[in-house]
Each structure stands twice: as structure tokens, then as C-alpha cells.
Amino acid sequence: MKPPATSPAFLSVSSWPSLFKAYRRAAAGKRRKPGVAAFEHQLADKLLALQADLLDGSYRPGPYTHFTIHEPKRRTISAAVFRDRIVHHALCAVIEPRFERAFIGDSYANRVGKGTHRAIQRFQALSRHYAYVLRADIRQHFASIDHAILIDGLASKIEEQDVMELIRKILAGGESALRDEYRMVWFPGDDLLAQCRPRGLPIGNLTSQFWSNCYLHPFDCFVKRELGCRAYLRYVDDFALFSNSKAELWAWKRALCERLAALRLCIHEESAQVMPTYVGSPWLGFVIDRERRLLKGRKARFATRHLGASYEAYCQGRLSFAEFDARVRGWLAHAAHGDTWGLREHLLDVFVLRPGDFPGKSGR
């Protein structure tokens, strides 16, 4: 057994107030889930046991539960046990501010005050000021993140060895989550042992979302400072560069591919094209030009199927009105950020939601 942790940062992660706050954040909106409800039984005892495991070095992450979603692209989601999610929240609460201060303003994923809709607004605003855009996305992003490179980057701002040891445990616990999803990419200087490099972050972890931003922060700085691209933004693995010169954007594409290779990442080359901003470019589920934001066709088809299935479940009594209403309102709030009035009207026309229409729905 390892000696007790002593750094103030680790003691902050493992303190009772920190763990209790982390529990509340991890449980928010999920208290009806079986794993959360089970943990809440004798909550104080379980948090104290977790605290003891962290402090004496015996903490080990539990197994992940894997499932596949199609929204509309197929993704493997890996859900950590609730106990581990508490640790993730407690850890990020301590280390995230150190990195947040350094992140560029136009990095929009998983940050307070940013998000998808701010990124959509910013993309359109830049489209109105520049003639051309280069939009690209990283191939198999989460599955490709190299643990050695990530640890080096995190260690640049985390000097506490006990905190880094906890990070290594979390990384090792999720190493196999996307192993079957990764298709080997060879980079200059690789030998056969490159296949054995630990890589991959489980999609679904709070730590994975945060560490993705940390991993790509050097790339963000490269684009802004070394390439000199003033109009650049990124959302997770999607990014866009704007310029009034097509030749400049093509040159930047070659340079950024070389920089990403140093991170053992690569883009989808075929779809990364320089386009005039007036014709519209795909961005976070919309096709955006200088004046319009149109929902992508596959997103509209997915919403039609998803809400149609929810409506059927509501009619059959398998879904409460409150749950169905929440799903519809959530999608409408997202779609309202585009020019989708006709689509929203068409999609809602088929829903009949008068009280008492269906057995068991009266009074809901």
C-alpha cells in the first residue's frame, strides 16, 4: 500500500466537502437511476469509504458499462460506475481552473459559458467577415488520444505526484473502452511497438471531455499563434479556420496536419476542403452560411424517428407526458437556433396532446 497522499491539491480532491459536492453534481438529474439510488443508500458510509480509499492509495476505478447510440452517427458510450463519477467530478473541480485560464476563448466544448449554440453563432459571425473557410474534423478522436502525450501535457500544470497518480489510475481504467474502435494509424518514426501504446478516452466521462480540451490546447495555440489565424474556433474534434485567401487556407491545412501528427492525430482529409462562406458549410448539425442556419438532413430524419418513437411510447403508456414533453421541448430548443420554423411546425403537426386523449393520461 502506498503512503498517504500529502499534497494540498489531493487533500482537497479527497476532502469530505469536495466529495459531497461532487456526489451532488454527479447525481444531478439522475437520482432515479439504479446505480445512483443504490449509492445513496447509506450515502455517508460510502463517501467515507471512498475517501479512505483515495487517501491510503487503494482506490481503483471499477468496470465500465458499454452501450451504443446512433445520434445519428454510431458511437460507443462507456459509463463509469457512480462511485468513479464522483471521483471524476472532485478531481476536475480542483485541476480544471488551472487549465481553464490558459484555454483560448474560441474553444467551445464542455466549458462554462460556451457550448454548442455559442459555437454555431460564432461560426456564422466569422462567415460574415471572411470569404473562405476550412472546416475539418479529427478521425477517431477519443479513441486516438495517446496517454503518454496527454500525461506530459497534464503534468505541465499539475506538479503534485499524488494527483498525477490518480489521473494515471483513471486513464488506465478506461484504456480498453475504445480499443476495438481504434484503427491503427502509423506516424513517421513508428515501429511495431507503436501498436501497443496506451491510448483512448471513454466517451461519456467528465474527465474525458475535459482532457480532450487539454490534449488539443497546444494545437489551438499553434493555429492562433504560429499560423497567425485570427479567426479560428473548435468544438471537441471539429474545428474551422477562416481567411480571405484560399491559398493561405490550403497552406494552413498542410501545416496543421503536420502539427496534429505530433499529437498522433489526423483529420478526415477528403472532407477538409476550402469553401466559400456564402455557400454554407456543415457545422455541429447545421449547414451555415452568412445568412442562414439549416438543420442537416440526417439530423432532421433522426429527430423525426426519435420523437415519433417517443410519441408512440407516450400513446401506449410506456412514457409519461412529462418525459415526452421534455424530449420535445429539448429538441425544439436546439432546432430553434436554426432557420427551422417550417420543420418544427411539420414535425409537431402529427402530435395530438390534448388531455384525456389516451388511457391513463388524464390530468397529466
Side-chain angles (χ1 to χ4, degrees):
M1 187 175 295
K2 296 184 179 180
T6 56
S7 77
F10 195 95
L11 292 175
S12 178
V13 170
S14 56
S15 69
W16 171 263
S18 175
L19 291 177
F20 186 72
K21 289 177 184 176
Y23 146 73
R24 297 191 65 173
R25 288 193 295 270
K30 301 174 183 176
R31 299 188 67 178
R32 295 173 62 185
K33 301 281 186 181
V36 181
F39 193 91
E40 288 183 333
H41 178 62
Q42 297 180 326
L43 173 63
D45 291 342
K46 289 175 180 174
L47 285 179
L48 286 171
L50 176 57
Q51 181 185 43
D53 288 349
L54 288 167
L55 290 172
D56 67 21
S58 63
Y59 168 77
R60 295 293 183 276
Y64 283 83
T65 300
H66 307 286
F67 55 94
T68 302
I69 62 171
H70 302 266
E71 291 190 357
K73 185 163 51 175
R74 178 184 177 277
R75 294 182 186 274
T76 299
I77 305 298
S78 302
V81 297
F82 185 69
R83 183 176 189 260
D84 293 338
R85 280 179 265 160
I86 294 174
V87 175
H88 299 168
H89 277 273
L91 174 65
C92 287
V94 171
I95 66 173
E96 188 171 340
R98 304 184 186 188
F99 293 87
E100 179 64 31
R101 289 189 288 268
F103 289 160
I104 66 168
D106 279 317
S107 170
Y108 286 89
N110 310 303
R111 299 176 65 193
V112 176
K114 303 290 183 177
T116 306
H117 300 136
R118 292 284 179 89
I120 290 170
Q121 294 167 6
R122 179 62 169 160
F123 187 98
Q124 186 169 58
L126 291 173
S127 296
R128 290 170 175 162
H129 287 87
Y130 292 90
Y132 302 101
V133 59
L134 169 64
R135 194 205 64 79
D137 65 298
I138 297 170
R139 290 175 52 192
Q140 46 186 10
H141 170 56
F142 282 100
S144 299
I145 290 180
D146 187 90
H147 289 191
I149 297 174
L150 174 61
I151 287 171
D152 284 346
L154 295 176
S156 67
K157 291 189 179 296
I158 303 173
E159 299 178 354
E160 299 88 348
Q161 290 306 306
D162 42 14
V163 178
M164 287 303 302
E165 181 61 24
L166 177 59
I167 289 171
R168 290 187 182 94
K169 288 178 182 178
I170 296 172
L171 282 172
E175 182 182 340
S176 63
L178 295 178
R179 183 175 293 161
D180 295 338
E181 305 287 318
Y182 181 72
R183 298 293 175 265
M184 184 64 193
V185 178
W186 299 94
F187 294 94
D190 278 353
D191 55 24
L192 290 177
L193 292 177
Q195 295 184 85
C196 304
R197 294 178 69 101
R199 61 174 64 86
L201 296 178
I203 300 175
N205 272 5
L206 175 69
T207 49
S208 298
Q209 300 164 7
F210 169 55
W211 289 338
S212 168
N213 277 339
C214 296
Y215 196 84
L216 286 174
H217 174 63
F219 174 72
D220 295 338
C221 293
F222 168 80
V223 174
K224 297 283 282 186
R225 298 170 187 172
E226 296 187 40
L227 292 186
C229 179
R230 299 176 61 187
Y232 163 78
L233 71 160
R234 179 178 61 80
Y235 187 92
V236 192
D237 57 338
D238 290 287
F239 58 91
L241 295 79
F242 292 81
S243 174
N244 288 318
S245 168
K246 291 173 67 174
E248 184 173 52
L249 286 172
W250 284 118
W252 284 349
K253 179 183 176 182
R254 291 188 292 271
L256 66 84
C257 285
E258 292 179 5
R259 183 64 183 89
L260 284 172
L263 296 173
R264 303 191 65 81
L265 299 173
C266 55
I267 63 173
H268 288 97
E269 290 269 3
E270 301 79 10
S271 61
Q273 303 294 321
V274 176
M275 300 289 292
T277 51
Y278 68 82
V279 303
S281 297
W283 181 251
L284 304 184
F286 290 84
V287 177
I288 302 174
D289 61 26
R290 296 171 183 173
E291 303 301 329
R292 298 181 302 170
R293 307 174 191 169
L294 302 179
L295 196 70
K296 292 178 71 173
R298 68 177 187 178
K299 290 285 188 179
R301 290 189 293 272
F302 173 79
T304 301
R305 290 195 302 269
H306 177 66
L307 294 182
S310 298
Y311 179 62
E312 182 178 352
Y314 164 71
C315 293
Q316 295 173 356
R318 294 182 287 111
L319 193 71
S320 72
F321 174 77
E323 291 171 316
F324 175 62
D325 185 56
R327 294 183 186 184
V328 172
R329 289 178 182 274
W331 182 80
L332 290 176
H334 173 68
H337 286 269
D339 301 307
T340 59
W341 174 257
L343 173 64
R344 285 178 277 155
E345 189 176 48
H346 171 74
L347 192 147
L348 294 179
D349 273 346
V350 300
F351 299 151
V352 180
L353 302 173
R354 293 187 297 270
D357 271 358
F358 307 108
K361 302 298 185 295
S362 180
R364 293 195 178 190

